[in-house]
Structures are given as structure tokens and as C-alpha cells.
Amino acid sequence: MTIEDTAADAPVRPSNIVIVGGGTAGWMTAAYLKAAFADRITITLVESAEVRTIGVGEATFSDIRHFFEFLRLEEHDWMPACNATYKLAVRFEDWREPGHHFYHPFEQLKSVDGFQLTDWWLRNPGSDRFDKDCFVMASLCDANRSPRYLDGSLIDQDFVEKPHQGGPSRSTIVDYQGAQFPYAYHFEARLLAQFLTKYATDRGVRHVVDNVVDVGLDERGWVSHVRTAEHGVLAGDLFVDCTGFRGLLLNKALGEPFVSYQDTLPNDSAVALQVPLDMDREPMRPCTTATAQAAGWIWTIPLISRIGTGYVYARDYCEPEEAERVLREFVGPTAAEVEANHIRMRIGRSERSWVNNCVAIGLSSGFVEPLESTGIFFIHHAVEQLVKYFPGGDWDPNLRTLYNRSVAHVTDGVREFLCLHYRGAKRADNQYWRDAQTRTVPDALEERLELWRTKVPDAMTVYPYYHGLPPYSYNCILLGTGGIPVRPSPGLELADERAALSEFQQIKAKAQKLVQELPTQNAFFARMRAS
Ligand code: FAD
């Protein structure tokens, strides 16, 4: 097929897909589409050897397990190859005040007599740790426990989510009453991309290493081809833009506007380090840690043999040199020889992620700061939606509309959730944190915040479209950050609290039992590496 043919023809059912970009987004997309459509599509993935991938993106949501399931991969197939570890929660340090911490775990909040446990806890707090009183996982995190026993079996089935109904969009069907899968993963993004390169090329994906130097459009403004420096023209029916913050096809060639979230989420920069970890000596936390700093926060992600760490900050409040100095001081001497990676972040989303025959997935579609590890979740969600709304021969525009709505809801919903972290943070020790308490938030969140002062978040009052975060997540951040006064429901004053007190006792007993029984993360992964 020549370019001229493609330009002149009406669009056809896409079976020839060109993916531009070989970062996490490009390879996750290639692997997932191959798993979904096998040889009924052809895929070419072109990536530049000169333009580096972002190289971070190491903590995930627990929904990521559906991605690996979809690819028919077991943990032992991919975890060792990606230096992966378990993640039970995000641990927030110093967001309320120095020395304070709380967890946002992968564990649904129980309800008793129609009221969430957080409601009951507000009526009669058993301790100053809502997270330990309401969730088992918080105790496991404090004790550095693995969610699996040394023989590989999982902690009890109460924690395992009920099977989803339906097709490929399994993770988008949320059952608020169901249990939550108890963990997600940390992994090396670079190694995951390598692993998926092999997975996808073994299944027939053509891999071209070259620079895309031009994007060709036909007379209707549809992408007809990309031109590479050394491999000539790559023509296709459907083009997936995975070029990262550049947005080479969607934003640059097609001119789709980017909607910035900068007014509500000002952190626009990061500096990252990869620090060696001696697993025989240093305890390994089974969680991502987000430690509040003077102009943002530092992530700490324990992997096999190294720690991924970085300072996410706002340039309006902190220079890159200062951010790097703070990060190195935070990490200590192990960071001395390690090179820093400075990253400028584009925060927000493309107005539409799918325009004509071009779909942007990954950073080219949208991104919010990685405070809740949502970047890879966005990619996973997007590629699930692409399969769900994959076009037919008539390229029905409704499919694009539905896709764009779904992707926009996820990004906008996560933005609201992140804004809550800053509005909620009690610390007000400098201008950055004082501004955080008064900064604009989306109007709908402002209304929700008003409601949450009276009644902690539930399914009625959180962002109403699927965005990966159930109401219990909002409860954790609201109660953990501590800056927004909340009160127990007045009706609870009249209720019999014995059943709730019994539930708190059961959580405590279960946590104690599991802390005694389960191995530490270090012990679990030492065993896994030895076998
Ligand atoms: P990139 O990695 O930037 O890849 C772009 C690709 O496009 C590269 O292969 C490049 O070579 C190619 N390319 C560009 N131009 C051309 C061209 N002209 N020709 C050919 N190829 C080209 N997500 C999480 O889920 N958890 C986290 O903990 C997390 N932490 C993060 C921390 C930071 C500081 C940042 C910035 C992001 C983080 N993310 C995280 C997000 C995550 O890193 C990204 O979602 C993920 O890496 C996907 O990146 P990408 O593939 O879209 O883009």
C-alpha cells in the first residue's frame, strides 16, 4: 500500500496499527492489543534510540494484576525479570505534622449497620490511628509484612476481590461492596518495558528503532503515515501516540489542545535517583512512601536491590538544584555516586485523547503527579477502553466519543482526589503548604468538601464516574491529612455501637494474627530469589 492510496481511500477497519513510542505506554499497548486481537491485527512499534523514555513509574494500583492476567502471565513469569516487589498501600509521612504517618491501603472499608467504619470511628475513636483501627493492612505495613506466606499462598480470601463480570474492561467494573485485591506491585519501569518488548515481538509485533521525523495527514486531517529517518514511511490505519510528554502525533501534528491542571496541581517538576539497596540489612517496606517536603513530596519505592526515589516539586517554590540537594540529603550517603534525573512534567490532559484515527496513550494523553501511582493505571485503563471501543469499518464517531469520555473521567477524577491531599494537609509551616490550603480546586470538589465536613465520603458524594478510587480512599486521605474538620454522623449518637466495636476488635485480632504469621517482605523475596 502506498501513501497516496491511503490518503485517497476512505478509512477502513483498522487492522494495521502503528504505535509511536517504546516507553511503558508503547509496550503495554502493543502487548495488550496482541493479547486481545492476536494475528487479526498487525502492529508496528517505532521508538527512537535517542529520545529517552521517562524511566520512572514504578509503583502501581492493584488493578494492574488484571493487565498481567489478560496477558496470561503469572507473577513468577514476570516479577523476577522486573525486580518487582509487593505494595500494600501508600504511606503518607508528615502531611499532617512532622513525625505523623498514615496509610492508604488496598483494602475496602467495612460497613456496620449501614455506616462505614470511619463513621463509627469518628464517634468513638479507639486510638489516634484511624488507619490501624479500620484496616488490617496498616498493621501489616507498619510491621513490613509480605501479603504472601513463604510457600507463596495469599493471605486469606476475605481480602480477595469478587470476580468481575464482563469483557476486557474487568477493572472498570467496580463493586464497592466487594473486597479489594490486597496488593499492587513496585517494579522497574525499564525492565517491564524490556519484558513486554519480548512478549510483544514474540507474538509478531514488528519493532523499528528509528526517529519519526514527520507525521503525514491526508486531506481530511487523518494520519496517513509517519516518516522515519532511516526506515522510510510507516503507513497504517490506526496510529497510537505513545511519544510521552511530546505528544508528537496528537498534540503536535493534529493540534489537539492540552488542558493544563497547573492551577489546581502546581507541582510540575521532579528529580529522581536510583539508589542501591542492601536487602540483607535494610528493612523493605511493603508500600510506597510519600514524604511531604517544603515544596512537594519525596517518593520512596523499594525494589529488589534498589530504591527508586524522587522529589516532586513546584518550580514556583523551589529551584531544581535545591530539589536535588534536598533529595540527596533525604536519602543519605548511598545517593552520593548516583546520577540525578531531572524531569519537567506536563500536568493535565489532552482535550480529547482520540482524534480521527489517532489515539494517545500514556503521558501524551494525560498525566497527574504520581502521588497515588496513577500513570500506569491510566495506560492500563486506556488500552482496555481502546479494546472495548475499537472501531469497525465505518469508524463510528460514537466510539471515539465514548472512549474520550471514559479517559477524561478517569484523569479528572484522579485530579480531584489529588487536590484533596493538598487541601486536606494540616501542615502550614511555609508558603507552599499555606497556599495549598487555599488553592483553587475544581468546583465540584469544593461542593463535595462542604458535604464531607458533615458526613465522611461515601458512594453518593465522591466523583461519580469510574476513576479507580472508591469512597474509602477519600476517607483515608480526609482522616489522614487532618486539616479538614470532620464529624461523626449525628444519627450514630442514637445507634447501638456494639456491632461496630466488635468489628474493630476483629480487625485488631486479625492484624495481630497476620503480623505473627506472615514473613517480612525481605524474607519473602530472599526466599523467592533463592528458589
Ligand atoms: P515515555 O517514557 O516518555 O516514552 C516516550 C517514547 O516515545 C520513547 O520510547 C521515545 O523514544 C519515543 N519517542 C519520542 N519521540 C519520538 C520520535 N520522534 N520518534 C520515535 N520515537 C519517539 N506512573 C506510575 O504508575 N507510578 C509511578 O510511581 C510513577 N511515577 C512517575 C514519576 C514521575 C516523575 C513521572 C514523570 C512519571 C511517573 N509515572 C508513574 C508515570 C509513568 O512514568 C508513565 O506513565 C510511563 O512511564 C509512560 O510513559 P510513556 O511511555 O507515555 O512516555
Side-chain angles (χ1 to χ4, degrees), residues 40 79 94 122 131 147 244 249 279 298 313 359 389 463 512:
R40 294 173 293 282
M79 282 186 74
D94 305 346
L122 281 169
D131 53 350
L249 280 73
M279 283 179 60
I298 287 178
Y313 62 97
V359 185
Y389 297 118
Y463 187 81
Q512 280 170 351

Side-chain angles (χ1 to χ4, degrees), residues 105 107-127 129-137 159 176-177 455-458 471-472 475-476 479 486-489 492 496-508 510:
E107 181 181 345
Q108 293 287 350
L109 183 62
K110 292 213 165 69
S111 289
V112 173
D113 293 338
F115 289 91
Q116 299 172 112
L117 268 192
T118 40
D119 263 313
W120 288 106
W121 184 87
L122 281 169
R123 171 185 161 174
N124 186 3
S127 74
R129 289 285 303 274
F130 82 93
D131 53 350
K132 277 182 118 163
D133 291 343
C134 297
F135 300 97
V136 171
M137 289 296 162
F159 289 106
Y176 289 134
Q177 303 309 313
K455 176 88 175 69
V456 288
D458 60 23
Y472 89 85
N475 276 268
C476 288
L479 295 183
V486 282
R487 49 193 167 112
S489 299
L492 281 182
D496 180 348
E497 69 173 341
R498 278 174 299 181
L501 294 178
S502 160
E503 189 60 50
F504 286 125
Q505 279 310 319
Q506 285 176 38
I507 287 172
K508 195 171 179 178
K510 189 165 196 166

Side-chain angles (χ1 to χ4, degrees), residues 20-27 45-61 87 187 189 210-213 241-246 248 269-272 288 297 299 301 311-312 343-345 361-370 372-379:
V20 184
T24 318
W27 286 113
L45 185 147
V46 53
E47 65 173 315
S48 165
E50 285 148 28
V51 183
R52 280 171 55 178
T53 60
I54 205 87
V56 284
E58 299 170 328
T60 56
F61 257 37
K87 168 185 172 184
F187 49 66
D210 204 343
N211 288 321
V212 167
V213 291
D241 181 348
C242 296
T243 58
F245 289 132
R246 282 168 196 77
L248 196 67
S269 302
V271 51
T288 305
W297 56 278
W299 79 78
I301 299 179
Y311 186 0
V312 172
I343 300 163
R344 196 76 197 241
M345 306 187 299
I361 293 182
L363 300 173
S364 52
S365 164
F367 180 63
V368 293
E369 62 179 85
E372 288 283 355
S373 320
T374 43
I376 288 163
F377 163 68
F378 286 166
I379 298 170

Side-chain angles (χ1 to χ4, degrees), residues 123-349:
R123 171 185 161 174
N124 186 3
S127 74
D128 60 355
R129 289 285 303 274
F130 82 93
D131 53 350
K132 277 182 118 163
D133 291 343
C134 297
F135 300 97
V136 171
M137 289 296 162
S139 298
L140 300 196
C141 287
D142 271 348
N144 293 331
R145 289 306 189 261
S146 152
R148 288 189 182 271
Y149 293 90
L150 283 178
D151 68 4
S153 57
L154 184 63
I155 51 175
D156 77 55
Q157 294 297 311
D158 276 11
F159 289 106
V160 179
E161 137 190 71
K162 291 174 186 160
H164 289 293
Q165 307 290 316
S169 280
R170 282 170 297 186
S171 70
T172 62
I173 295 164
V174 178
D175 176 0
Y176 289 134
Q177 303 309 313
Q180 161 98 52
F181 196 73
Y183 63 80
Y185 307 101
H186 301 128
F187 49 66
E188 283 199 43
R190 182 182 55 85
L191 294 180
L192 181 73
Q194 268 174 27
F195 181 87
L196 293 177
T197 304
K198 177 156 175 20
Y199 178 97
T201 51
D202 282 353
R203 285 159 182 78
V205 171
R206 181 182 167 214
H207 184 193
V208 177
V209 179
D210 204 343
N211 288 321
V212 167
V213 291
D214 188 32
V215 179
L217 303 184
D218 68 15
E219 66 279 4
R220 296 158 309 139
W222 291 49
V223 179
S224 56
H225 65 280
V226 292
R227 187 177 299 281
T228 60
E230 290 172 6
H231 292 73
V233 154
L234 301 174
D237 308 319
L238 178 72
F239 289 80
V240 187
D241 181 348
C242 296
T243 58
F245 289 132
R246 282 168 196 77
L248 196 67
L249 280 73
L250 185 82
N251 304 123
K252 295 228 167 71
L254 293 179
E256 184 64 10
F258 187 80
V259 183
S260 171
Y261 291 166
Q262 191 84 27
D263 56 335
T264 51
L265 293 172
N267 293 346
D268 57 359
S269 302
V271 51
L273 295 171
Q274 301 191 349
V275 183
L277 169 74
D278 182 350
M279 283 179 60
D280 295 330
R281 289 156 152 258
E282 292 169 63
M284 201 187 216
R285 280 193 186 145
C287 54
T288 305
T289 303
T291 309
Q293 297 295 320
W297 56 278
I298 287 178
W299 79 78
T300 306
I301 299 179
L303 302 157
I304 301 291
S305 304
R306 81 163 173 83
I307 301 270
T309 184
Y311 186 0
V312 172
Y313 62 97
R315 278 213 193 192
D316 284 351
Y317 297 82
C318 178
E319 292 300 323
E321 299 72 28
E322 169 66 0
E324 183 175 334
R325 190 197 63 71
V326 170
L327 179 62
R328 288 189 183 280
E329 193 177 299
F330 180 85
V331 175
T334 45
E337 304 298 319
V338 178
E339 196 187 334
N341 176 14
H342 284 269
I343 300 163
R344 196 76 197 241
M345 306 187 299
R346 184 176 77 153
I347 303 295
R349 66 168 169 85

